Amino acid sequence: MKKARANSTLSDVAKAAGVSASTASRALNGLAQKYRISEATEQLVKQSAERLGFRPSQVARSLRLQRTGLLGIVVPDLSNPFFSAIAREVTVAAGEEGFSAIIADSDGSVEKERELIEQMEARNVESLVVCPIGLDFAHLEAAASRGLPLVTVDRCQANSSLVQVTSDHLTGAHQAIELLIENGHQRIGILQGLHGTLPSERRLKGVREALAVAGIDYDQKLVAGDSFTQESGYCSARQLLTESPDLTALFAMSTPNAFGAFRAASELGRKIPENLSLICFDDVAFVEFMQVPLTTIAQNVPELGRRAALLATEQMQSGKSPRTKMHKVPIKLIQRASVGKVPPL
Amino acid sequence: MKKARANSTLSDVAKAAGVSASTASRALNGLAQKYRISEATEQLVKQSAERLGFRPSQVARSLRLQRTGLLGIVVPDLSNPFFSAIAREVTVAAGEEGFSAIIADSDGSVEKERELIEQMEARNVESLVVCPIGLDFAHLEAAASRGLPLVTVDRCQANSSLVQVTSDHLTGAHQAIELLIENGHQRIGILQGLHGTLPSERRLKGVREALAVAGIDYDQKLVAGDSFTQESGYCSARQLLTESPDLTALFAMSTPNAFGAFRAASELGRKIPENLSLICFDDVAFVEFMQVPLTTIAQNVPELGRRAALLATEQMQSGKSPRTKMHKVPIKLIQRASVGKVPPL
DNA sequence: CTGAAAGCGCTAACAC
DNA sequence: GTGTTAGCGCTTTCAG
């Protein structure tokens, strides 16, 4: 490998051009006009910079300007398509606003989330987008009250003063159940996500509302599960389908939940959609290429990310928190093949 | 929002403790022993720091130490599970080595990739992991020769002096074809990825080798496609299946390709695996929850990421490039349900 | 039109 | 044991 020649500095450029560092700085930062630097000098400086392959040190710049141009992202699992899609939107939106994104994976641990946020603060990120692991928000509130523009995405909290962006879970669940009912389903099993998280709670509320409208009793026996994972979906679907064989439909609160349900159903000899309907929240690209394409309540994931990034950068630029704290993004029911009419008995 | 109170600085802490900045710095950096700072002073400093909520500025530190502790990651599409899985491993491995990861999405554009790498260099990342878009490596070579420890993942280049980590594509493709042949398939369609990329070329070579071993002629007519996308898979599968209806198996070079093939097959009335076998490269979590679980050549994606991160950080710490440039990580054939015996005619 | 000097927050060599 | 000083690379008053 070639010798790691240190990048040349501004004063190198200045020296090469035979001017002072200040002049060089001004010429390179497009302030020639303002300072009425002679055309000749300006060109000379620019050429020297070019020739030396000068790249200004962002570190020095950050220190001087007290602006890092860094935006932090913390997600619970970057290998989960839902979160990586959010991360993607945030990074590109940040990039468009002139920021670089620094990312970290909390691996589903509140403790790690806390540490990572500490680290990011130490790095002087100018704002932070976090998809919280979901239960404890104290450290987030703390960071925000320290003046760090922070926005949470997805797993929000109802009674929080944080800026939050999440889907319209209630309406989504309501529509899901409505669709099932329209198709004649009366006995509907619910595969629940992590208790205590807003998405899970709101979706459950949506379920109850839709059931109430249709005059169907909400049966606690028909809801199971406590995590958005595939394993949880599998176990609870198995349990529900075994204990209540008269179920004709399943509402899964996440795609992994739905995958689990799929497996359980096939093990128990139920065919989707022939004698079991399945609808789920979240819509990942793959879902449509399953042999039985899933009918889903699609969250507008890119929009979640984009909005979060925008709220974060705005907040940072204006220096004040937006009036609206809770930002709901609409969901969309996508009908594919996994919901069928209840078979006439 | 509360007033954005600037974080307190080292000299604030020093003042509060009634000592000089140097002493404070030493006490806080665990150098008390080395400098024989009195127990009392040390505690005093630490308490003051605690009380003021002092968090050392990484920016100032970076400038002084000429070390940012930053590792850059550039991927073509963070919403693609393959790349996000790599990104995840890189960020966590980096974290374990005490680095923060700064990430960017090149959105499949070489131009953008070039710009992003520039930006990262300006931010003084200490090393860089890039999943190149695949064709032009000049800017990567340039960055590396400037002394930046850089490692490329996945789409590598055969005759490059860069440090690269990629799967054993040749063996993988060889095994895929072998499996098909063992199952009686003789007419095998190939759904190809982006031409000119090492993964695609090596896999094609593997195909030819396996075919040769079995004494089957390589038929140029049976290979189609020019991208790892789902659309490409769909179009080329349709084309192949239409022009050569005697095909009994398809080898797809990516999961998206396979999804496309799935759709094409079902539109053309072919059933997998009954009268069409399908095997594909890459193994994403979903693949096993498809109603017909896909038989795949699984890349060890986490390992790709981990190795890359390690090579990057090692290189940076030792200051020299590793002897081995090309790092191949083994693949694994995972048999599921999408490959069947060729039906006796 | 340009330069000198100060300083962002930190650490380390060199005093004493 | 602890303080003083210099300086990382940059921008920006303030002078001229």
Side-chain angles (χ1 to χ4, degrees), chain A residues 75-88 103-105 286, chain B residues 73-92 103-105 131 153-154 283-286 301-302 304-306:
Chain A
V75 295
D77 177 9
L78 192 52
S79 67
N80 174 325
F82 178 77
F83 295 118
S84 66
I86 290 179
R88 164 165 220 266
I103 201 164
D105 191 310
F286 309 93
Chain B
I73 311 174
V74 180
V75 295
D77 177 10
L78 192 51
S79 67
N80 175 325
F82 179 76
F83 295 118
S84 65
I86 290 180
R88 164 165 221 266
E89 290 306 320
V90 175
T91 58
V92 328
I103 202 165
D105 190 310
C131 298
V153 189
D154 183 40
D283 190 70
V284 300
F286 308 93
V301 185
L304 288 172
R306 222 172 296 128

Side-chain angles (χ1 to χ4, degrees), chain A residues 245-286:
Chain A
D246 59 331
L247 281 178
T248 60
L250 248 25
F251 168 50
M253 288 204 186
S254 74
T255 313
N257 275 178
F259 284 134
F262 228 109
R263 206 170 82 216
S266 87
E267 285 180 14
L268 295 172
R270 304 283 295 249
K271 278 275 182 204
I272 297 172
E274 287 79 359
N275 59 20
L276 183 67
S277 285
L278 178 61
I279 186 168
C280 77
F281 230 92
D282 293 357
D283 190 70
V284 301
F286 309 93

Side-chain angles (χ1 to χ4, degrees), chain A residues 25-39:
Chain A
S25 167
R26 299 196 263 247
L28 293 174
N29 288 344
L31 300 178
Q33 291 283 336
K34 188 175 163 198
Y35 284 90
R36 319 227 239 104
I37 289 177
S38 71
E39 182 68 19

Side-chain angles (χ1 to χ4, degrees), chain A residues 232-248:
Chain A
S232 168
Y234 173 73
C235 295
S236 30
R238 246 199 112 88
Q239 177 198 327
L240 254 30
L241 255 16
T242 310
E243 293 177 359
S244 311
D246 59 331
L247 281 178
T248 60

Side-chain angles (χ1 to χ4, degrees), chain A residues 10 22 25 29 57 61 64:
Chain A
L10 181 64
S22 1
S25 167
N29 288 344
S57 157
R61 218 153 192 280
R64 175 66 232 232

